[in-house]
Amino acid sequence: MGKINAVITGVGAFLPDYVLTNDELSRMVDTNDEWITTRVGIKERRIEKDPQKPASFLGTKAVENLFERTHTNPDEIELVICATSTPDHIFPATAAYIAENCGIKHALCFDVQAACAGFLTAYTIASNFIESGRKKKVLVVTTEKMSFMVDYTDRATCPLFGDGAGAVLIEGNEEGFGLIDSEMRTDGAGTDYLQMKAGGSAKPASHETVDAHEHFVYQEGKVVFKHAVTNMCATTAEVMERNNLKGEDLRWFIPHQANLRIIEAVGERVAIPSDRVYVNIQKYGNTSSATIPICLWEMQNNGQLKKGDKIVCTTFGAGFTFGAIYIKWGYDTDK
Ligand code: UT7
């Protein structure tokens, strides 16, 4: 038996209908389309306005979309890993709600908290279950209702984030397709620069924490920006070197979509031709763990992914958790 790799065999996604534009944001806080476009690269983002529709709703829709595309029977799924920073509840796992909604009855389900690095972390974890032969069909779901923790009175953070979900089906492959390499790391010295200050056991919710807006995303943007560029470059370069890859060998480079300036800086520093760097931040903003699956979903639907394509993905988020993976794409996609 050859080596088993964990290959993506289908991608689904869900984006809420409501489009929050820069112009609408400009009427809410002291900002403007020009600042957001030039400093971040976002034009609009999607928002799930219905308070009755939490992260599990978005994740469920993404899985339904995936199942429809791949004709998957929920009974075949043996493991559900949900990456989210906006869980329905602190406990139990959002993965359990999604599994229940989707009729998945025979799977272990758990959540991963790696913020924006959630997808690459969850895929790396999933690959170990697949490579060992312990699980055969794994779902990785990334779902974020970022709008629930965005302070729409804070111009420094409210233009950045959007809601959305992505889901991938992962199976074993013995022909050399799938996850070839992964370099994921955490620098815990970064915890204070990007976090939700209250609501956990370190600072339980109180009237004071609500009054102080401490249940929203807190970010020191400049510090995060610097660390994002440095660490995404370092891990991408490491993965490319280890696998003898030059920029022009890659069909696609898919970075986490947090800021167009970060994406361009990383792409240039690791010498990837700019037409191979995938960008959709202008449409959806930063959907945290869901950005890379949403890119893959768009690319799949546009027929932009071919069997054997060499792809490097990189990410950076709270923790700081960051890294890069190298995959050989496993199936041809058609429009
Ligand atoms: O996904 C997780 C990882 N997160 C990231 O990777 C995000 C990393 N950080 C960033 O992308 C950027 O730091 C931000 C987009 C968050 C901010 O961009 P920046 O270029 O670092 O701007 P800044 O915070 O230094 O602010 C520059 C100026 C300030 O004005 P003064 O002090 O120079 O007069 C801000 O008050 O821009 C002002 N400003 C705004 N102006 C108009 C900040 N936000 C806005 C705004 N509209 N929305």
Side-chain angles (χ1 to χ4, degrees):
M1 203 171 76
K3 181 183 181 307
I4 303 173
N5 288 320
V7 74
I8 294 172
T9 54
V11 190
F14 176 75
L15 290 148
D17 289 335
Y18 191 84
V19 177
L20 176 57
T21 62
N22 289 350
D23 285 340
E24 185 177 349
L25 273 174
S26 309
R27 295 191 290 274
M28 295 157 67
V29 289
D30 181 15
T31 189
N32 55 74
D33 176 58
E34 205 256 331
W35 191 95
I36 302 170
T37 305
T38 54
R39 302 306 292 170
V40 201
I42 301 171
K43 284 292 193 187
E44 55 191 42
R45 63 294 283 147
R46 302 298 183 90
I47 303 294
E48 180 52 73
K49 291 249 179 186
D50 187 344
Q52 306 301 320
K53 293 181 173 164
S56 66
F57 172 84
L58 310 186
T60 297
K61 287 284 185 194
V63 173
E64 286 171 357
N65 177 249
L66 170 68
F67 280 2
E68 202 177 306
R69 192 187 164 86
T70 53
H71 310 291
T72 302
N73 176 346
D75 287 339
E76 296 168 43
I77 303 296
E78 297 173 335
L79 174 65
V80 180
I81 307 177
C82 176
T84 184
S85 291
T86 55
D88 287 19
H89 300 278
I90 286 186
F91 77 95
T94 299
Y97 291 97
I98 294 171
E100 180 63 14
N101 293 343
C102 296
I104 297 168
K105 296 287 188 190
H106 307 295
L108 167 66
C109 306
F110 61 86
D111 287 1
V112 158
Q113 168 49 270
C116 297
F119 176 63
L120 298 195
T121 303
Y123 187 5
T124 301
I125 294 169
S127 75
N128 292 303
F129 282 92
I130 295 281
E131 287 170 14
S132 66
R134 201 169 288 281
K135 302 284 182 192
K136 300 236 167 341
K137 280 201 189 211
V138 177
L139 259 187
V140 167
V141 191
T142 60
T143 180
E144 304 287 6
K145 190 170 183 180
M146 296 302 290
S147 57
F148 119 89
M149 61 169 177
V150 167
D151 181 352
Y152 288 98
T153 66
D154 174 20
R155 73 173 183 172
T157 51
C158 74
L160 307 177
F161 300 100
D163 298 340
V168 303
L169 183 62
I170 301 176
E171 300 177 71
N173 179 283
E174 291 182 48
E175 294 160 25
F177 300 106
L179 185 75
I180 308 298
D181 198 4
S182 166
E183 183 59 45
M184 299 299 299
R185 295 206 284 264
T186 298
D187 173 5
T191 47
D192 287 351
Y193 301 108
L194 182 51
Q195 61 171 213
M196 183 189 283
K197 291 190 172 183
S201 58
K203 198 169 193 186
S206 66
H207 289 292
E208 289 71 28
T209 62
V210 172
D211 290 345
H213 291 217
E214 288 180 340
H215 297 272
F216 294 118
V217 175
Y218 170 83
Q219 173 171 250
E220 293 186 30
K222 274 205 187 317
V223 180
V224 176
F225 189 109
K226 246 178 61 190
H227 282 82
V229 174
T230 307
N231 289 302
M232 287 163 91
C233 285
T235 48
T236 299
E238 209 170 313
V239 164
M240 288 177 66
E241 255 172 57
R242 250 186 345 229
N243 295 279
N244 297 314
L245 292 168
K246 299 264 173 289
E248 59 271 17
D249 298 330
L250 297 184
R251 179 63 194 92
W252 293 110
F253 179 57
I254 312 175
H256 170 51
Q257 311 280 308
N259 186 320
L260 184 59
R261 288 185 295 138
I262 296 177
I263 294 171
E264 289 175 347
V266 175
E268 274 166 34
R269 284 197 204 177
V270 291
I272 314 250
S274 59
D275 61 343
R276 310 210 185 157
V277 180
Y278 197 82
V279 177
N280 66 7
I281 190 173
Q282 69 283 2
K283 290 194 274 184
Y284 308 124
N286 181 350
T287 55
S288 191
S289 66
T291 64
I292 293 172
I294 291 171
C295 289
L296 290 171
W297 172 75
E298 262 194 355
M299 298 164 89
Q300 169 191 260
N301 296 348
N302 291 332
Q304 290 171 293
L305 297 167
K306 298 285 174 229
K307 193 169 182 174
D309 280 353
K310 295 176 179 175
I311 302 173
V312 167
C313 306
T314 185
T315 192
F316 182 91
F320 298 135
T321 295
F322 53 89
I325 65 166
Y326 167 41
I327 55 181
K328 272 195 199 144
W329 191 253
Y331 62 98
D332 286 326
T333 60
D334 300 313
K335 256 192 181 175

